[in-house]
Amino acid sequence: MKKNKAMSGTFLLFVLSLAACNGKPQTGPDTLPSPTNLSAVLEGTDKARLDWNDNCPDESGYYLFVRGSADVKQEMIILPANTTSYLAERLKSESEYRYSLQAFREDGALSLRADFPDLQTPAVQPVDPEPDPSEVLRLNWAELSGLPLPDAVKVYKTEDALEGKPFHAWYAQAKCDKEVEFKVLFPGDQITQSIDQQAEADGKCLVLVNGGIFSGKFLRPIGFAIYDGLQTPWRVSEDEDRIRIDREYWSSDGKLHPVSRGLFGVDQNGIPGVYWSFTPEHGTVYVYDQPIPSTAGENVCQAGSTTYPCPPAPWMPYNAVTCGPVLLKDGKCPISAEKTAKGYWKTNYELWADDIFGVTQHPDRTAVGYKSDGSIILLVCDGRIDGSDGATTLQMAKIMRGLGCIGALNLDGGGSTGMWVKGAGHINDMTGGNRPVVTTLGFFLCK
């Protein structure tokens, strides 16, 4: 879904992309040799392999420009020096893509742009993958009827036992279109409000759940959120070190590690995605298809960059939250119960505390995910009450797969877990009260 709101104050790469697509100079003080022998070949139905010859011995990198038909977002991707290949992924079906390449040097010198052959992707009917039966939990869900919701939004409940233990859960699903959109709410810096308050303050809200984890004196997210293109304020630690915990974290091993945060969101066109994110500075967001492999008890990794842990993905969040762990990425669960020789969780790349990473903990939980057709799912479950024993992160991953998700992210849980639905109000257990939270996310009528 395309938005009309300006994106002032948002991301460096996005700003660069606008500059690139709207008349960036073709040459600088000196003209660098242009790349040659450019080829563009489709791999499957949604990937394109771009190859070229690097004719410049001292470039600082490349600008890769992306243009195409109306449903293709114009953007610029920065590639490192001496690159001769790039894999473009998640191409839309039945769309035209036009790529061009330009070498640049830090002193401002540029090559002339060289064009790749145009690409036309074929029509594809999305098919949900069939997961391994050992990695999926399918429960019996009953739709909640009589709610004043558009046809595109459905809400379901289950009281099936979860692997032999009592379990209550709800999920809402929507295919965002011209009538319904996915959004993130942020009530304001250093402000917390309950899910119900945030939902009821927005007259277009249809379904709302809690968002990312937060804590500390300044009541800012651990990580960040993006709401209509704006990033929440930078959060630093409250001790004298003033650590920017959007990008680094003191782990239980006593070391300061760089961290990539799990992220779920939609881009400006409403296309959902699950990635790992890194913020080298406030206002700059890189999103990756793999995490920085930080592991407690092991050597400290590099910080995220335009080349590490991999080149950034060609997707930028417009409404998104960070949290973790990532439950599903490309249909696969990236976490496990495996531990290192030193006794730390081996796949806890985001260095969450045990009660958050929790492959053995089963509190109330909240998760968000998406299916291959673009439908978004919001899921909450009760925990720590007689009627519902909660779920582990691994069980949440299996449940989301059972609902057809190919990407999913664990959100804040415990006393923060909640779901508000128009016409029904707060539908899950509120033992201990209705906790105020910082960020929320859900489905809204389009403006």
Side-chain angles (χ1 to χ4, degrees):
M1 181 189 311
K2 295 185 177 179
K3 314 285 194 307
N4 295 320
K5 186 174 290 188
M7 293 182 64
S8 59
T10 176
F11 315 110
L12 173 63
L13 290 183
F14 185 75
V15 171
L16 286 174
S17 71
L18 291 179
C21 296
N22 290 280
K24 185 177 179 68
Q26 288 285 307
T27 59
D30 300 301
T31 302
L32 303 180
S34 297
T36 56
N37 295 332
L38 285 76
S39 68
V41 179
L42 286 172
E43 292 190 359
T45 58
D46 66 343
K47 297 181 177 64
R49 173 67 64 181
L50 309 179
D51 295 287
W52 61 91
N53 287 351
D54 176 9
N55 298 318
C56 182
D58 61 347
E59 81 274 1
S60 300
Y62 283 101
Y63 297 129
L64 177 65
F65 301 93
V66 185
R67 306 177 306 283
S69 46
D71 63 338
V72 173
K73 184 181 72 173
Q74 295 189 15
E75 62 180 334
M76 182 179 73
I77 300 164
I78 300 176
L79 302 177
N82 303 317
T83 305
T84 59
S85 183
Y86 179 77
L87 181 63
E89 299 182 277
R90 297 179 180 83
L91 305 185
K92 297 181 179 180
S93 62
E94 295 184 276
S95 299
E96 183 179 9
Y97 284 82
R98 296 189 293 276
Y99 297 92
S100 58
L101 195 66
Q102 183 176 39
F104 70 88
R105 200 167 58 205
E106 290 183 354
D107 62 3
L110 298 166
S111 73
L112 295 173
R113 291 190 196 176
D115 295 326
F116 290 87
D118 290 351
L119 289 172
Q120 181 73 42
T121 55
V124 176
Q125 183 65 36
V127 177
D128 290 333
E130 271 300 319
D132 184 325
S134 67
E135 298 178 357
V136 62
L137 284 169
R138 290 191 171 93
L139 305 173
N140 294 305
W141 298 89
E143 183 177 354
L144 302 187
S145 59
L147 297 173
L149 300 173
D151 291 340
V153 180
K154 305 292 184 184
V155 181
Y156 302 86
K157 179 181 180 180
T158 187
E159 294 186 1
D160 274 8
L162 179 62
E163 297 187 332
K165 295 184 178 181
F167 187 65
H168 289 175
W170 297 258
Y171 81 88
Q173 176 174 314
K175 181 70 178 293
C176 296
D177 53 18
K178 295 180 180 179
E179 186 179 13
V180 176
E181 63 180 337
F182 172 88
K183 287 181 59 177
V184 170
L185 298 185
F186 175 65
D189 192 21
Q190 303 183 55
I191 297 174
T192 59
Q193 292 180 339
S194 70
I195 299 161
D196 302 13
Q197 289 173 320
Q198 293 191 39
E200 291 163 2
D202 190 312
K204 297 184 180 294
C205 186
L206 302 171
V207 180
L208 199 68
V209 299
N210 60 291
I213 294 172
F214 64 97
S215 66
K217 175 181 177 182
F218 298 108
L219 297 175
R220 291 173 178 169
I222 295 178
F224 60 89
I226 306 294
Y227 54 105
D228 287 351
L230 301 176
Q231 186 175 338
T232 51
W234 192 261
R235 186 181 187 279
V236 298
S237 65
E238 297 161 27
D239 57 26
E240 61 183 16
D241 294 322
R242 306 289 290 170
I243 299 303
R244 271 71 173 169
I245 61 176
D246 281 16
R247 68 185 187 193
E248 51 200 356
Y249 211 58
W250 285 107
S251 178
S252 54
D253 62 5
K255 297 178 182 178
L256 183 64
H257 293 262
V259 287
S260 50
R261 299 293 182 193
L263 178 145
F264 174 90
V266 298
D267 65 11
Q268 198 174 15
N269 295 314
I271 298 173
V274 168
Y275 297 91
W276 286 271
S277 64
F278 184 79
T279 53
E281 58 186 7
H282 187 266
T284 301
V285 176
Y286 299 138
V287 295
Y288 305 110
D289 284 313
Q290 61 191 63
I292 297 174
S294 295
T295 304
E298 305 300 323
N299 292 331
V300 174
C301 296
Q302 302 176 42
S305 69
T306 56
T307 58
Y308 182 83
C310 59
W315 179 95
M316 290 303 294
Y318 189 73
N319 273 282
V321 294
T322 62
C323 203
V326 171
L327 301 174
L328 295 173
K329 174 66 176 171
D330 298 329
K332 298 178 181 179
C333 180
I335 62 174
S336 72
E338 186 178 359
K339 289 192 173 184
T340 67
K342 298 178 182 179
Y344 298 101
W345 295 114
K346 188 172 183 179
T347 58
N348 185 13
Y349 307 115
E350 299 141 38
L351 301 177
W352 295 113
D354 184 77
D355 61 333
I356 296 172
F357 181 74
V359 296
T360 57
Q361 306 292 316
H362 44 92
D364 326 45
R365 289 196 184 272
T366 308
V368 58
Y370 73 99
K371 301 170 66 172
S372 61
D373 66 356
S375 298
I376 295 174
I377 287 179
L378 310 172
L379 172 71
V380 299
C381 72
D382 284 340
R384 299 180 292 192
I385 59 174
D386 291 341
S388 185
D389 196 51
T392 68
T393 48
L394 292 174
Q395 288 173 327
M396 290 292 280
K398 293 178 182 181
I399 293 169
M400 295 298 274
R401 289 196 70 167
L403 296 175
C405 289
I406 58 173
L409 178 71
N410 184 63
L411 298 174
D412 196 2
S416 295
T417 286
M419 177 180 284
W420 179 96
V421 177
K422 183 177 181 180
H426 197 114
I427 62 176
N428 66 300
D429 179 73
M430 287 193 288
T431 299
N434 190 2
R435 177 184 293 175
V437 297
V438 172
T439 55
T440 54
L441 50 101
F443 304 134
F444 295 77
L445 290 172
C446 294
K447 294 182 179 178

